[in-house]
Amino acid sequence: FQSGLEMDVTDNVRLAESHPQADLMFRPQFNVMSVWPVSEKNSLSLSLGVGYVKYVKTASYDNLFVSPNSDLSFDLYVHDFEINFHDRFSYSQDAYTDPTISGTGSFGRFENASGIGVIWDLNKFVLNVGYDHDIYIPTSSNVSDTSRAAELFTASAGFNINPITQAGLQLGGGLTHYDKQGFNDNEHAAAGPFLKMQLSQYSTLQLALGYVVYFIEPGGSVTNTSSIGAFYGDLTFKQRVNANFAHSVSIGRQVTSGLFSDIVDLYYARYGANWRLFRKTSLGVSLSYEHGSEHHGFDEKLDRYGLGFSLGRSITQHASGSVGYQFYLKNAQPTSLSYTENRLVLNLNYAF
């Protein structure tokens, strides 16, 4: 069990291009992480984070939230098969977490993915298949037409070339249906190779490349083409340099269904590092860049830059705290969707 209190100060609560408004937020939260060993190998686990956000000036943004890492999961082992049943859920109104959102500080949405994943480990070969029923329900009335459900399928086959290298092929696909007329239903299929390498005891490299095609159905109010295809990819490197310093970098391109359009095409580069300065004190740094465009809906082109620092310290055996700073600069077309934001965060946690 863990409880926490976060205090945020922002100079642009509405993520507005002009006339920014400052605000102060209080965010108490309670987290539960529990594992029940059903048998020697099988287990049921629950991770749940629930809290409330109180805005001092913009009271209309006050909201309950369920953290994105909340889920109920059951792991079942049968011979060489590892089977996972899961239900992942979240509810949030934070707008700054999505680069395509501008002009509002509150964008309520409930997301839920329930499904199954199966891993068949044959030593040299590892096969994965998965299915998820994914629902997205906006709670803001002005974007109610973005409510949708999707059936998502994944599969991969990996070959262990040697003890430190695995390579293979991954496949994906899905069907997305919007509850209201406005955006267009679509189907998508993706395929490509992947590579995983344990470069050293403390360094890993992952590479995934492929091609995805979206087939856009007619019937929505958005003018569109019948299909759109693009290459995607991700390169991620993680390294623990020594006992006091670890960092990671990711670059890639993703093509997904958007919040305000049928398709979002997003390039990204992200870097994160953590230093243990002293025995109880650590420093974190994050850098990010995103270049994106939305198609077949609200057409937007954007570049967003992010910079963050955090200083954390253990106070007692059960208590810890941190202070952080986050900066975002978004340049967009149309320019009315551009903004800058400075955010200062103070966090206090207690683990029972």
Side-chain angles (χ1 to χ4, degrees):
F1 296 93
Q2 185 183 66
S3 62
L5 174 63
E6 180 178 298
M7 290 170 281
D8 296 28
V9 179
T10 176
D11 65 348
N12 192 355
V13 68
R14 300 183 188 275
L15 303 181
E17 187 269 337
S18 60
H19 307 295
Q21 177 181 332
D23 209 337
L24 170 66
M25 293 149 276
F26 294 92
R27 194 186 302 257
Q29 181 173 348
F30 185 74
N31 301 311
V32 176
M33 289 171 284
S34 178
V35 178
W36 177 38
V38 179
S39 66
E40 183 178 350
K41 293 184 176 181
N42 308 324
S43 62
L44 179 68
S45 62
L46 171 67
S47 178
L48 177 64
V50 179
Y52 189 81
V53 184
K54 173 62 182 176
Y55 290 76
V56 173
K57 291 184 177 180
T58 323
S60 60
Y61 286 174
D62 294 355
N63 68 90
L64 180 76
F65 68 88
V66 179
S67 60
N69 59 349
S70 298
D71 77 330
L72 179 65
S73 178
F74 179 66
D75 292 320
L76 176 66
Y77 292 86
V78 181
H79 301 295
D80 297 327
F81 294 90
E82 178 183 343
I83 306 171
N84 171 260
F85 300 91
H86 55 262
D87 187 42
R88 300 166 183 146
F89 47 92
S90 67
Y91 176 73
S92 174
Q93 293 197 35
D94 289 335
Y96 70 93
T97 57
D98 192 300
T100 64
I101 300 176
S102 299
T104 180
S106 178
F107 190 89
R109 66 270 193 197
F110 172 76
E111 298 179 74
N112 178 248
S114 55
I116 181 174
V118 181
I119 301 175
W120 188 15
D121 192 341
L122 300 172
N123 194 17
K124 279 289 187 180
F125 288 94
V126 180
L127 303 177
N128 289 265
V129 294
Y131 162 75
D132 277 294
H133 174 70
D134 187 88
I135 61 173
Y136 178 93
I137 303 174
T139 57
S140 302
S141 59
N142 60 326
V143 290
S144 62
D145 56 350
T146 62
S147 177
R148 61 183 181 268
E151 314 302 326
L152 304 175
F153 306 89
T154 58
S156 68
F159 176 69
N160 294 320
I161 300 173
N162 55 49
I164 65 170
T165 306
Q166 184 186 85
L169 178 69
Q170 56 188 9
L171 306 172
L175 304 92
T176 301
H177 171 72
Y178 286 87
D179 296 335
K180 296 183 179 181
Q181 188 176 18
F183 294 98
N184 302 277
D185 296 348
N186 65 72
E187 300 84 36
H188 77 273
F194 71 88
L195 175 69
K196 299 179 181 179
M197 297 184 67
Q198 186 77 36
L199 301 177
S200 69
Q201 184 178 359
Y202 302 108
S203 303
T204 62
L205 178 72
Q206 295 188 23
L207 173 66
L209 299 169
Y211 192 80
V212 60
V213 179
Y214 279 82
F215 302 95
I216 311 299
E217 298 288 342
S221 61
V222 177
T223 303
N224 59 76
T225 56
S226 59
S227 65
I228 182 172
F231 287 98
Y232 67 87
D234 178 83
L235 176 65
T236 298
F237 173 73
K238 297 180 180 180
Q239 182 183 39
R240 181 180 177 186
V241 178
N242 52 46
N244 298 316
F245 178 69
H247 65 151
S248 65
V249 60
S250 295
I251 57 174
R253 180 191 188 187
Q254 63 185 37
V255 182
T256 59
S257 296
L259 294 179
F260 311 107
S261 59
D262 288 335
I263 302 297
V264 172
D265 186 356
L266 187 70
Y267 294 84
Y268 58 86
R270 299 168 182 139
Y271 177 79
N274 189 74
W275 289 270
R276 189 171 67 174
L277 302 177
F278 308 103
R279 187 170 65 90
K280 294 183 178 182
T281 306
S282 62
L283 173 67
V285 175
S286 64
L287 300 168
S288 66
Y289 169 69
E290 296 155 312
H291 170 75
S293 57
E294 297 184 83
H295 304 282
H296 314 314
F298 189 86
D299 291 335
E300 178 192 2
K301 298 184 184 299
L302 66 93
D303 292 279
R304 191 171 80 151
Y305 308 83
L307 170 66
F309 299 95
S310 65
L311 187 67
R313 180 175 173 80
S314 297
I315 302 172
T316 67
Q317 182 180 356
H318 299 282
S320 62
S322 67
V323 59
Y325 168 76
Q326 184 70 53
F327 169 77
Y328 285 113
L329 167 63
K330 178 180 177 181
N331 295 321
Q333 292 293 334
T335 57
S336 59
L337 300 177
S338 301
Y339 66 81
T340 60
E341 184 195 19
N342 295 276
R343 181 178 289 257
L344 185 66
V345 180
L346 175 64
N347 203 313
L348 299 172
N349 293 290
Y350 187 87
F352 296 89

